[in-house]
mmCIF file of all heavy atoms in Angstrom:
data_model
loop_
_atom_site.group_PDB
_atom_site.id
_atom_site.type_symbol
_atom_site.label_atom_id
_atom_site.label_comp_id
_atom_site.label_asym_id
_atom_site.label_seq_id
_atom_site.Cartn_x
_atom_site.Cartn_y
_atom_site.Cartn_z
ATOM 1 N N ALA A 1 -9.056 -2.020 9.256
ATOM 2 C CA ALA A 1 -8.814 -3.141 10.197
ATOM 3 C C ALA A 1 -7.920 -4.189 9.580
ATOM 4 O O ALA A 1 -7.134 -4.816 10.245
ATOM 5 C CB ALA A 1 -10.172 -3.831 10.563
ATOM 6 N N ARG A 2 -7.962 -4.371 8.238
ATOM 7 C CA ARG A 2 -7.061 -5.310 7.569
ATOM 8 C C ARG A 2 -5.671 -4.741 7.547
ATOM 9 O O ARG A 2 -4.649 -5.451 7.740
ATOM 10 C CB ARG A 2 -7.522 -5.552 6.138
ATOM 11 C CG ARG A 2 -8.871 -6.272 6.055
ATOM 12 C CD ARG A 2 -9.242 -6.481 4.605
ATOM 13 N NE ARG A 2 -10.614 -6.948 4.430
ATOM 14 C CZ ARG A 2 -11.242 -6.958 3.283
ATOM 15 N NH1 ARG A 2 -10.601 -6.561 2.193
ATOM 16 N NH2 ARG A 2 -12.516 -7.369 3.192
ATOM 17 N N LEU A 3 -5.519 -3.469 7.249
ATOM 18 C CA LEU A 3 -4.192 -2.871 7.135
ATOM 19 C C LEU A 3 -3.398 -2.899 8.416
ATOM 20 O O LEU A 3 -2.199 -2.849 8.418
ATOM 21 C CB LEU A 3 -4.382 -1.370 6.689
ATOM 22 C CG LEU A 3 -4.790 -1.135 5.256
ATOM 23 C CD1 LEU A 3 -5.009 0.385 5.058
ATOM 24 C CD2 LEU A 3 -3.776 -1.637 4.259
ATOM 25 N N TRP A 4 -4.131 -2.996 9.540
ATOM 26 C CA TRP A 4 -3.449 -2.940 10.830
ATOM 27 C C TRP A 4 -2.335 -3.935 10.989
ATOM 28 O O TRP A 4 -1.249 -3.585 11.512
ATOM 29 C CB TRP A 4 -4.497 -3.113 11.945
ATOM 30 C CG TRP A 4 -3.913 -3.214 13.324
ATOM 31 C CD1 TRP A 4 -3.547 -2.180 14.156
ATOM 32 C CD2 TRP A 4 -3.599 -4.432 14.040
ATOM 33 N NE1 TRP A 4 -3.014 -2.701 15.324
ATOM 34 C CE2 TRP A 4 -3.018 -4.048 15.243
ATOM 35 C CE3 TRP A 4 -3.726 -5.787 13.739
ATOM 36 C CZ2 TRP A 4 -2.642 -4.974 16.218
ATOM 37 C CZ3 TRP A 4 -3.342 -6.716 14.684
ATOM 38 C CH2 TRP A 4 -2.779 -6.312 15.918
ATOM 39 N N LYS A 5 -2.561 -5.140 10.560
ATOM 40 C CA LYS A 5 -1.510 -6.209 10.784
ATOM 41 C C LYS A 5 -0.251 -5.871 10.020
ATOM 42 O O LYS A 5 0.853 -5.915 10.570
ATOM 43 C CB LYS A 5 -2.029 -7.580 10.290
ATOM 44 C CG LYS A 5 -1.057 -8.718 10.536
ATOM 45 C CD LYS A 5 -1.683 -10.053 10.154
ATOM 46 C CE LYS A 5 -0.769 -11.217 10.558
ATOM 47 N NZ LYS A 5 0.514 -11.201 9.863
ATOM 48 N N GLY A 6 -0.377 -5.457 8.753
ATOM 49 C CA GLY A 6 0.786 -5.081 7.983
ATOM 50 C C GLY A 6 1.484 -3.827 8.531
ATOM 51 O O GLY A 6 2.696 -3.740 8.600
ATOM 52 N N ALA A 7 0.657 -2.883 8.989
ATOM 53 C CA ALA A 7 1.180 -1.661 9.544
ATOM 54 C C ALA A 7 2.011 -1.921 10.791
ATOM 55 O O ALA A 7 3.085 -1.355 10.996
ATOM 56 C CB ALA A 7 0.060 -0.662 9.886
ATOM 57 N N ARG A 8 1.524 -2.890 11.605
ATOM 58 C CA ARG A 8 2.233 -3.201 12.861
ATOM 59 C C ARG A 8 3.560 -3.914 12.509
ATOM 60 O O ARG A 8 4.628 -3.677 13.137
ATOM 61 C CB ARG A 8 1.331 -4.114 13.709
ATOM 62 C CG ARG A 8 1.925 -4.403 15.099
ATOM 63 C CD ARG A 8 0.852 -5.008 15.964
ATOM 64 N NE ARG A 8 1.396 -5.388 17.276
ATOM 65 C CZ ARG A 8 1.645 -4.537 18.282
ATOM 66 N NH1 ARG A 8 1.419 -3.234 18.090
ATOM 67 N NH2 ARG A 8 2.117 -4.920 19.440
ATOM 68 N N GLU A 9 3.550 -4.823 11.525
ATOM 69 C CA GLU A 9 4.795 -5.487 11.144
ATOM 70 C C GLU A 9 5.813 -4.506 10.626
ATOM 71 O O GLU A 9 6.997 -4.630 10.893
ATOM 72 C CB GLU A 9 4.447 -6.554 10.082
ATOM 73 C CG GLU A 9 3.752 -7.803 10.692
ATOM 74 C CD GLU A 9 3.577 -8.872 9.630
ATOM 75 O OE1 GLU A 9 4.198 -8.808 8.581
ATOM 76 O OE2 GLU A 9 2.840 -9.851 9.934
ATOM 77 N N ILE A 10 5.396 -3.593 9.763
ATOM 78 C CA ILE A 10 6.323 -2.546 9.237
ATOM 79 C C ILE A 10 6.968 -1.808 10.394
ATOM 80 O O ILE A 10 8.131 -1.488 10.402
ATOM 81 C CB ILE A 10 5.564 -1.608 8.265
ATOM 82 C CG1 ILE A 10 5.148 -2.381 7.042
ATOM 83 C CG2 ILE A 10 6.414 -0.413 7.915
ATOM 84 C CD1 ILE A 10 4.223 -1.574 6.124
ATOM 85 N N HIS A 11 6.106 -1.397 11.351
ATOM 86 C CA HIS A 11 6.580 -0.697 12.534
ATOM 87 C C HIS A 11 7.580 -1.497 13.363
ATOM 88 O O HIS A 11 8.667 -1.033 13.677
ATOM 89 C CB HIS A 11 5.428 -0.267 13.407
ATOM 90 C CG HIS A 11 5.767 0.327 14.724
ATOM 91 N ND1 HIS A 11 6.417 1.523 14.843
ATOM 92 C CD2 HIS A 11 5.645 -0.186 16.000
ATOM 93 C CE1 HIS A 11 6.640 1.789 16.131
ATOM 94 N NE2 HIS A 11 6.203 0.771 16.870
ATOM 95 N N LEU A 12 7.237 -2.747 13.694
ATOM 96 C CA LEU A 12 8.076 -3.538 14.543
ATOM 97 C C LEU A 12 9.368 -3.909 13.885
ATOM 98 O O LEU A 12 10.421 -4.038 14.569
ATOM 99 C CB LEU A 12 7.311 -4.818 14.954
ATOM 100 C CG LEU A 12 6.118 -4.631 15.859
ATOM 101 C CD1 LEU A 12 5.370 -5.934 16.119
ATOM 102 C CD2 LEU A 12 6.527 -4.002 17.184
ATOM 103 N N GLU A 13 9.374 -4.098 12.553
ATOM 104 C CA GLU A 13 10.611 -4.456 11.845
ATOM 105 C C GLU A 13 11.400 -3.214 11.419
ATOM 106 O O GLU A 13 12.538 -3.335 10.922
ATOM 107 C CB GLU A 13 10.268 -5.307 10.636
ATOM 108 C CG GLU A 13 9.698 -6.667 11.028
ATOM 109 C CD GLU A 13 9.478 -7.551 9.835
ATOM 110 O OE1 GLU A 13 10.264 -7.433 8.858
ATOM 111 O OE2 GLU A 13 8.518 -8.378 9.843
ATOM 112 N N GLY A 14 10.790 -2.077 11.553
ATOM 113 C CA GLY A 14 11.500 -0.840 11.168
ATOM 114 C C GLY A 14 11.754 -0.755 9.682
ATOM 115 O O GLY A 14 12.805 -0.222 9.241
ATOM 116 N N LEU A 15 10.833 -1.239 8.850
ATOM 117 C CA LEU A 15 10.994 -1.218 7.425
ATOM 118 C C LEU A 15 10.800 0.203 6.904
ATOM 119 O O LEU A 15 9.697 0.772 7.021
ATOM 120 C CB LEU A 15 10.022 -2.133 6.765
ATOM 121 C CG LEU A 15 10.207 -3.639 7.036
ATOM 122 C CD1 LEU A 15 9.013 -4.435 6.478
ATOM 123 C CD2 LEU A 15 11.501 -4.153 6.463
ATOM 124 N N LYS A 16 11.839 0.769 6.306
ATOM 125 C CA LYS A 16 11.756 2.168 5.835
ATOM 126 C C LYS A 16 11.310 2.253 4.389
ATOM 127 O O LYS A 16 11.049 3.358 3.913
ATOM 128 C CB LYS A 16 13.139 2.834 5.971
ATOM 129 C CG LYS A 16 13.719 2.842 7.388
ATOM 130 C CD LYS A 16 12.760 3.579 8.339
ATOM 131 C CE LYS A 16 13.375 3.667 9.729
ATOM 132 N NZ LYS A 16 12.441 4.338 10.744
ATOM 133 N N ASN A 17 11.197 1.135 3.706
ATOM 134 C CA ASN A 17 10.848 1.129 2.324
ATOM 135 C C ASN A 17 9.388 0.571 2.101
ATOM 136 O O ASN A 17 9.051 0.148 1.010
ATOM 137 C CB ASN A 17 11.819 0.252 1.505
ATOM 138 C CG ASN A 17 11.812 -1.178 1.891
ATOM 139 O OD1 ASN A 17 11.590 -1.524 3.065
ATOM 140 N ND2 ASN A 17 12.103 -2.065 0.932
ATOM 141 N N ALA A 18 8.565 0.627 3.173
ATOM 142 C CA ALA A 18 7.210 0.078 3.008
ATOM 143 C C ALA A 18 6.239 1.137 3.674
ATOM 144 O O ALA A 18 6.532 1.716 4.691
ATOM 145 C CB ALA A 18 7.038 -1.214 3.738
ATOM 146 N N ALA A 19 5.097 1.274 3.000
ATOM 147 C CA ALA A 19 4.038 2.153 3.484
ATOM 148 C C ALA A 19 2.699 1.563 3.125
ATOM 149 O O ALA A 19 2.568 0.703 2.295
ATOM 150 C CB ALA A 19 4.195 3.536 2.889
ATOM 151 N N LEU A 20 1.631 2.075 3.752
ATOM 152 C CA LEU A 20 0.274 1.621 3.457
ATOM 153 C C LEU A 20 -0.582 2.870 3.242
ATOM 154 O O LEU A 20 -0.487 3.843 3.941
ATOM 155 C CB LEU A 20 -0.254 0.815 4.650
ATOM 156 C CG LEU A 20 0.494 -0.507 4.933
ATOM 157 C CD1 LEU A 20 0.006 -1.114 6.235
ATOM 158 C CD2 LEU A 20 0.353 -1.509 3.774
ATOM 159 N N LEU A 21 -1.441 2.777 2.239
ATOM 160 C CA LEU A 21 -2.331 3.872 1.843
ATOM 161 C C LEU A 21 -3.734 3.356 1.918
ATOM 162 O O LEU A 21 -4.131 2.400 1.236
ATOM 163 C CB LEU A 21 -1.984 4.383 0.440
ATOM 164 C CG LEU A 21 -2.955 5.392 -0.189
ATOM 165 C CD1 LEU A 21 -2.999 6.676 0.637
ATOM 166 C CD2 LEU A 21 -2.533 5.669 -1.629
ATOM 167 N N ARG A 22 -4.531 4.041 2.769
ATOM 168 C CA ARG A 22 -5.957 3.636 2.869
ATOM 169 C C ARG A 22 -6.793 4.535 1.957
ATOM 170 O O ARG A 22 -7.018 5.727 2.252
ATOM 171 C CB ARG A 22 -6.420 3.739 4.330
ATOM 172 C CG ARG A 22 -7.820 3.216 4.540
ATOM 173 C CD ARG A 22 -8.292 3.426 5.972
ATOM 174 N NE ARG A 22 -9.641 2.990 6.169
ATOM 175 C CZ ARG A 22 -10.381 3.246 7.225
ATOM 176 N NH1 ARG A 22 -9.855 3.970 8.240
ATOM 177 N NH2 ARG A 22 -11.588 2.838 7.328
ATOM 178 N N THR A 23 -7.267 3.929 0.844
ATOM 179 C CA THR A 23 -8.119 4.679 -0.065
ATOM 180 C C THR A 23 -8.735 3.720 -1.061
ATOM 181 O O THR A 23 -8.421 2.533 -1.095
ATOM 182 C CB THR A 23 -7.299 5.747 -0.830
ATOM 183 O OG1 THR A 23 -8.199 6.600 -1.522
ATOM 184 C CG2 THR A 23 -6.356 5.119 -1.845
ATOM 185 N N ASN A 24 -9.631 4.203 -1.891
ATOM 186 C CA ASN A 24 -10.230 3.450 -2.976
ATOM 187 C C ASN A 24 -9.276 3.399 -4.152
ATOM 188 O O ASN A 24 -8.659 4.417 -4.454
ATOM 189 C CB ASN A 24 -11.573 4.031 -3.391
ATOM 190 C CG ASN A 24 -12.657 3.809 -2.399
ATOM 191 O OD1 ASN A 24 -12.927 2.706 -1.978
ATOM 192 N ND2 ASN A 24 -13.294 4.907 -1.975
ATOM 193 N N ILE A 25 -9.206 2.265 -4.823
ATOM 194 C CA ILE A 25 -8.280 2.139 -5.935
ATOM 195 C C ILE A 25 -8.680 3.094 -7.099
ATOM 196 O O ILE A 25 -7.801 3.582 -7.807
ATOM 197 C CB ILE A 25 -8.267 0.654 -6.434
ATOM 198 C CG1 ILE A 25 -7.609 -0.194 -5.345
ATOM 199 C CG2 ILE A 25 -7.505 0.503 -7.740
ATOM 200 C CD1 ILE A 25 -7.675 -1.665 -5.559
ATOM 201 N N GLU A 26 -9.961 3.368 -7.220
ATOM 202 C CA GLU A 26 -10.384 4.337 -8.264
ATOM 203 C C GLU A 26 -9.773 5.702 -8.124
ATOM 204 O O GLU A 26 -9.648 6.455 -9.076
ATOM 205 C CB GLU A 26 -11.906 4.463 -8.302
ATOM 206 C CG GLU A 26 -12.667 3.231 -8.679
ATOM 207 C CD GLU A 26 -12.983 2.372 -7.474
ATOM 208 O OE1 GLU A 26 -12.337 2.481 -6.424
ATOM 209 O OE2 GLU A 26 -13.963 1.547 -7.607
ATOM 210 N N LEU A 27 -9.306 6.040 -6.902
ATOM 211 C CA LEU A 27 -8.774 7.394 -6.635
ATOM 212 C C LEU A 27 -7.268 7.480 -6.790
ATOM 213 O O LEU A 27 -6.715 8.573 -6.569
ATOM 214 C CB LEU A 27 -9.152 7.797 -5.212
ATOM 215 C CG LEU A 27 -10.676 7.838 -4.832
ATOM 216 C CD1 LEU A 27 -10.886 8.279 -3.425
ATOM 217 C CD2 LEU A 27 -11.423 8.764 -5.796
ATOM 218 N N LEU A 28 -6.642 6.407 -7.157
ATOM 219 C CA LEU A 28 -5.152 6.412 -7.253
ATOM 220 C C LEU A 28 -4.556 7.488 -8.180
ATOM 221 O O LEU A 28 -3.460 8.011 -7.832
ATOM 222 C CB LEU A 28 -4.638 5.028 -7.654
ATOM 223 C CG LEU A 28 -4.856 3.928 -6.655
ATOM 224 C CD1 LEU A 28 -4.203 2.618 -7.093
ATOM 225 C CD2 LEU A 28 -4.344 4.306 -5.290
ATOM 226 N N PRO A 29 -5.207 7.879 -9.248
ATOM 227 C CA PRO A 29 -4.649 8.972 -10.037
ATOM 228 C C PRO A 29 -4.561 10.302 -9.276
ATOM 229 O O PRO A 29 -3.823 11.209 -9.710
ATOM 230 C CB PRO A 29 -5.616 9.099 -11.226
ATOM 231 C CG PRO A 29 -6.141 7.708 -11.396
ATOM 232 C CD PRO A 29 -6.332 7.226 -9.992
ATOM 233 N N LEU A 30 -5.289 10.453 -8.179
ATOM 234 C CA LEU A 30 -5.148 11.631 -7.340
ATOM 235 C C LEU A 30 -3.971 11.582 -6.441
ATOM 236 O O LEU A 30 -3.507 12.614 -5.915
ATOM 237 C CB LEU A 30 -6.416 11.815 -6.487
ATOM 238 C CG LEU A 30 -7.765 11.944 -7.203
ATOM 239 C CD1 LEU A 30 -8.917 12.044 -6.225
ATOM 240 C CD2 LEU A 30 -7.726 13.171 -8.136
ATOM 241 N N PHE A 31 -3.393 10.393 -6.288
ATOM 242 C CA PHE A 31 -2.251 10.161 -5.380
ATOM 243 C C PHE A 31 -0.933 10.031 -6.093
ATOM 244 O O PHE A 31 0.129 10.306 -5.480
ATOM 245 C CB PHE A 31 -2.499 8.923 -4.539
ATOM 246 C CG PHE A 31 -3.538 9.093 -3.471
ATOM 247 C CD1 PHE A 31 -4.878 8.806 -3.753
ATOM 248 C CD2 PHE A 31 -3.236 9.537 -2.209
ATOM 249 C CE1 PHE A 31 -5.865 8.978 -2.762
ATOM 250 C CE2 PHE A 31 -4.189 9.645 -1.189
ATOM 251 C CZ PHE A 31 -5.525 9.385 -1.493
ATOM 252 N N PHE A 32 -0.936 9.522 -7.332
ATOM 253 C CA PHE A 32 0.308 9.209 -8.024
ATOM 254 C C PHE A 32 0.397 9.920 -9.377
ATOM 255 O O PHE A 32 -0.606 9.980 -10.114
ATOM 256 C CB PHE A 32 0.464 7.717 -8.197
ATOM 257 C CG PHE A 32 0.459 6.938 -6.891
ATOM 258 C CD1 PHE A 32 -0.681 6.232 -6.517
ATOM 259 C CD2 PHE A 32 1.530 6.995 -6.042
ATOM 260 C CE1 PHE A 32 -0.701 5.554 -5.317
ATOM 261 C CE2 PHE A 32 1.515 6.292 -4.849
ATOM 262 C CZ PHE A 32 0.408 5.571 -4.461
ATOM 263 N N GLY A 33 1.582 10.439 -9.674
ATOM 264 C CA GLY A 33 1.767 11.205 -10.887
ATOM 265 C C GLY A 33 2.241 10.350 -12.040
ATOM 266 O O GLY A 33 2.609 9.185 -11.918
ATOM 267 N N GLU A 34 2.294 10.949 -13.190
ATOM 268 C CA GLU A 34 2.694 10.298 -14.433
ATOM 269 C C GLU A 34 4.105 9.705 -14.289
ATOM 270 O O GLU A 34 5.000 10.362 -13.781
ATOM 271 C CB GLU A 34 2.680 11.270 -15.589
ATOM 272 C CG GLU A 34 2.961 10.616 -16.948
ATOM 273 C CD GLU A 34 2.878 11.660 -18.085
ATOM 274 O OE1 GLU A 34 2.512 12.840 -17.776
ATOM 275 O OE2 GLU A 34 3.087 11.270 -19.229
ATOM 276 N N ASN A 35 4.289 8.421 -14.670
ATOM 277 C CA ASN A 35 5.581 7.730 -14.623
ATOM 278 C C ASN A 35 6.120 7.568 -13.231
ATOM 279 O O ASN A 35 7.323 7.417 -13.066
ATOM 280 C CB ASN A 35 6.594 8.414 -15.532
ATOM 281 C CG ASN A 35 6.213 8.391 -16.994
ATOM 282 O OD1 ASN A 35 5.790 7.340 -17.469
ATOM 283 N ND2 ASN A 35 6.335 9.542 -17.671
ATOM 284 N N GLU A 36 5.272 7.613 -12.200
ATOM 285 C CA GLU A 36 5.795 7.547 -10.843
ATOM 286 C C GLU A 36 5.935 6.089 -10.312
ATOM 287 O O GLU A 36 6.744 5.827 -9.438
ATOM 288 C CB GLU A 36 4.883 8.325 -9.884
ATOM 289 C CG GLU A 36 5.464 8.504 -8.542
ATOM 290 C CD GLU A 36 4.738 9.533 -7.658
ATOM 291 O OE1 GLU A 36 3.593 9.885 -7.971
ATOM 292 O OE2 GLU A 36 5.403 10.077 -6.745
ATOM 293 N N ILE A 37 5.191 5.174 -10.882
ATOM 294 C CA ILE A 37 5.125 3.805 -10.405
ATOM 295 C C ILE A 37 5.808 2.873 -11.361
ATOM 296 O O ILE A 37 5.593 2.912 -12.568
ATOM 297 C CB ILE A 37 3.687 3.369 -10.104
ATOM 298 C CG1 ILE A 37 3.019 4.346 -9.141
ATOM 299 C CG2 ILE A 37 3.641 1.946 -9.605
ATOM 300 C CD1 ILE A 37 3.726 4.498 -7.784
ATOM 301 N N SER A 38 6.583 1.925 -10.834
ATOM 302 C CA SER A 38 7.343 1.023 -11.695
ATOM 303 C C SER A 38 6.609 -0.338 -11.874
ATOM 304 O O SER A 38 6.723 -1.000 -12.936
ATOM 305 C CB SER A 38 8.716 0.725 -11.083
ATOM 306 O OG SER A 38 9.496 1.911 -11.107
ATOM 307 N N GLU A 39 5.914 -0.791 -10.845
ATOM 308 C CA GLU A 39 5.240 -2.094 -10.886
ATOM 309 C C GLU A 39 3.963 -2.059 -10.079
ATOM 310 O O GLU A 39 3.850 -1.286 -9.122
ATOM 311 C CB GLU A 39 6.101 -3.224 -10.336
ATOM 312 C CG GLU A 39 7.395 -3.497 -11.123
ATOM 313 C CD GLU A 39 8.167 -4.660 -10.518
ATOM 314 O OE1 GLU A 39 7.539 -5.691 -10.175
ATOM 315 O OE2 GLU A 39 9.381 -4.513 -10.280
ATOM 316 N N ILE A 40 3.029 -2.910 -10.438
ATOM 317 C CA ILE A 40 1.755 -3.084 -9.703
ATOM 318 C C ILE A 40 1.529 -4.541 -9.472
ATOM 319 O O ILE A 40 1.628 -5.375 -10.405
ATOM 320 C CB ILE A 40 0.557 -2.515 -10.509
ATOM 321 C CG1 ILE A 40 0.725 -0.968 -10.619
ATOM 322 C CG2 ILE A 40 -0.746 -2.853 -9.839
ATOM 323 C CD1 ILE A 40 -0.315 -0.303 -11.494
ATOM 324 N N TRP A 41 1.230 -4.892 -8.249
ATOM 325 C CA TRP A 41 0.830 -6.242 -7.854
ATOM 326 C C TRP A 41 -0.656 -6.239 -7.542
ATOM 327 O O TRP A 41 -1.148 -5.442 -6.728
ATOM 328 C CB TRP A 41 1.601 -6.763 -6.646
ATOM 329 C CG TRP A 41 3.003 -7.227 -6.937
ATOM 330 C CD1 TRP A 41 4.094 -6.420 -7.028
ATOM 331 C CD2 TRP A 41 3.420 -8.531 -7.238
ATOM 332 N NE1 TRP A 41 5.210 -7.195 -7.350
ATOM 333 C CE2 TRP A 41 4.805 -8.478 -7.466
ATOM 334 C CE3 TRP A 41 2.766 -9.784 -7.279
ATOM 335 C CZ2 TRP A 41 5.565 -9.638 -7.753
ATOM 336 C CZ3 TRP A 41 3.517 -10.932 -7.581
ATOM 337 C CH2 TRP A 41 4.920 -10.833 -7.814
ATOM 338 N N ILE A 42 -1.404 -7.213 -8.105
ATOM 339 C CA ILE A 42 -2.823 -7.364 -7.814
ATOM 340 C C ILE A 42 -2.944 -8.831 -7.304
ATOM 341 O O ILE A 42 -2.774 -9.801 -8.035
ATOM 342 C CB ILE A 42 -3.699 -7.238 -9.065
ATOM 343 C CG1 ILE A 42 -3.414 -5.862 -9.716
ATOM 344 C CG2 ILE A 42 -5.165 -7.368 -8.716
ATOM 345 C CD1 ILE A 42 -4.093 -5.657 -11.071
ATOM 346 N N THR A 43 -3.156 -8.926 -6.005
ATOM 347 C CA THR A 43 -3.086 -10.225 -5.360
ATOM 348 C C THR A 43 -4.455 -10.707 -4.834
ATOM 349 O O THR A 43 -4.987 -10.111 -3.885
ATOM 350 C CB THR A 43 -2.066 -10.188 -4.166
ATOM 351 O OG1 THR A 43 -2.408 -9.077 -3.339
ATOM 352 C CG2 THR A 43 -0.648 -10.007 -4.681
ATOM 353 N N PHE A 44 -5.003 -11.673 -5.498
ATOM 354 C CA PHE A 44 -6.254 -12.343 -5.098
ATOM 355 C C PHE A 44 -7.412 -11.371 -4.927
ATOM 356 O O PHE A 44 -8.059 -11.309 -3.881
ATOM 357 C CB PHE A 44 -6.017 -13.155 -3.825
ATOM 358 C CG PHE A 44 -4.988 -14.202 -4.031
ATOM 359 C CD1 PHE A 44 -3.642 -13.947 -3.760
ATOM 360 C CD2 PHE A 44 -5.332 -15.459 -4.560
ATOM 361 C CE1 PHE A 44 -2.682 -14.891 -3.988
ATOM 362 C CE2 PHE A 44 -4.357 -16.406 -4.809
ATOM 363 C CZ PHE A 44 -3.038 -16.154 -4.533
ATOM 364 N N PRO A 45 -7.728 -10.601 -5.965
ATOM 365 C CA PRO A 45 -8.871 -9.700 -5.860
ATOM 366 C C PRO A 45 -10.175 -10.458 -6.084
ATOM 367 O O PRO A 45 -10.169 -11.595 -6.600
ATOM 368 C CB PRO A 45 -8.643 -8.749 -7.063
ATOM 369 C CG PRO A 45 -7.977 -9.635 -8.075
ATOM 370 C CD PRO A 45 -7.028 -10.549 -7.279
#
């Protein structure tokens, strides 16, 4: 339900360089490979 607002903005603006992934943060090693990510933002956890 939270992701919906961002997803709608990405769609309406046609942003091709943005995506949203719905999952638990503990599971991220199942989604991303070694040396695949350049930066991480942690905002108001």
Side-chain angles (χ1 to χ4, degrees):
R2 294 179 192 169
L3 289 176
W4 174 82
K5 185 176 186 296
R8 187 169 176 77
E9 288 186 10
I10 292 170
H11 170 69
L12 292 176
E13 295 186 29
L15 295 172
K16 302 300 183 183
N17 63 329
L20 298 171
L21 172 62
R22 186 183 177 193
T23 191
N24 288 307
I25 293 173
E26 293 92 336
L27 301 180
L28 292 185
L30 300 177
F31 288 89
F32 301 105
E34 185 177 359
N35 296 316
E36 189 165 22
I37 303 303
S38 295
E39 296 181 47
I40 294 173
W41 283 85
I42 306 172
T43 51
F44 300 92

